[in-house]
Amino acid sequence: MKPTDTRETIAVIGASHSAILVLRNLYNLASTSHPNMRIKWFTRHPLRYAEERDGWIFRDNTGLKGDVAVWAKENLEEDVLPSSEVSKYLEKVSTTREKEQDDYKKHLPQCTMAVQAIGFKKNEVPLLTKGGKRLETEFDPLTGGFRDEEGEEVRGLFGAGIAWPNRVKDPEGNVEYAVGLAKFMSFLKEVVPKWKS
């Protein structure tokens, strides 16, 4: 562990719930025990919040919620960040998909560490074969099953969790992937009884 007075600049990439939680935790360190810590926050889009609607939640899987949402509204929004205590330690780098590589080249050399909180990318699926030939599969996010390249069900092969989430549609027709342990468990309760090998 480095001494608390070490000069550090930490890059945080992303604007998801986990990215904002990282920003809040780093700010808490910088404003207390690590006064020489600075944060560069790279984000492609404005903050997005989950919103209570009539019996459902808009952006339930992609929006900021709870204490993290409150902290973000009070400290990170465009109109409040310049006057927020957070701005003493955090520099926001607004970027786009097209210019982010240039922004990284400009700003990352000044950083001593980086946190990428931009979502999950699953690993390559192990080699599957059928009849001695490589089996190409496609996940069905509504059943948890898989289909082969001809669209046939691959019997006995199922997935759930962060690599294989359920696709859901809200009452306004917006499509998201349901993420979070409780949502994975709910998906499993729904689909496992239908799974057959």
Side-chain angles (χ1 to χ4, degrees), residues 105-157:
K105 286 176 188 172
K106 178 180 177 182
H107 293 278
L108 285 180
Q110 303 156 31
C111 299
T112 52
M113 292 181 238
V115 177
Q116 256 191 314
I118 56 170
F120 175 81
K121 183 177 179 185
K122 61 185 168 209
N123 291 338
E124 186 79 20
V125 175
L127 176 64
L128 300 172
T129 61
K130 182 177 179 182
K133 291 170 45 177
R134 182 181 179 97
L135 180 64
E136 299 294 333
T137 61
E138 184 175 337
F139 178 66
D140 181 341
L142 301 177
T143 67
F146 289 82
R147 299 199 174 280
D148 64 18
E149 53 272 8
E150 277 103 45
E152 295 292 320
E153 176 186 345
V154 178
R155 293 180 54 80
L157 184 61

Side-chain angles (χ1 to χ4, degrees), residues 26-125:
L26 290 175
Y27 162 72
N28 287 340
L29 284 172
S31 64
T32 58
S33 61
H34 293 71
N36 292 315
M37 179 187 295
R38 296 298 177 265
I39 307 154
K40 283 189 180 271
W41 172 36
F42 297 83
T43 179
R44 286 187 195 157
H45 58 78
L47 294 171
R48 299 174 182 148
Y49 299 91
E51 299 172 16
E52 293 279 340
R53 299 279 171 95
D54 188 25
W56 63 284
I57 301 172
F58 177 60
R59 292 192 199 102
D60 188 29
N61 297 288
T62 58
L64 302 177
K65 295 178 183 174
D67 292 343
V68 171
V70 171
W71 185 82
K73 285 178 183 175
E74 292 174 352
N75 295 287
L76 299 179
E77 286 294 340
E78 291 291 327
D79 58 336
V80 296
L81 180 59
S83 60
S84 167
E85 282 291 306
V86 173
S87 68
K88 293 179 181 177
Y89 306 96
L90 181 143
E91 175 189 352
K92 181 178 179 181
V93 180
S94 294
T95 189
T96 63
R97 191 177 304 274
E98 295 75 30
K99 71 178 196 105
E100 71 184 345
Q101 292 306 315
D102 291 335
D103 287 333
Y104 293 154
K105 286 176 188 172
K106 178 180 177 182
H107 293 278
L108 285 180
Q110 303 156 31
C111 299
T112 52
M113 292 181 238
V115 177
Q116 256 191 314
I118 56 170
F120 175 81
K121 183 177 179 185
K122 61 185 168 209
N123 291 338
E124 186 79 20
V125 175

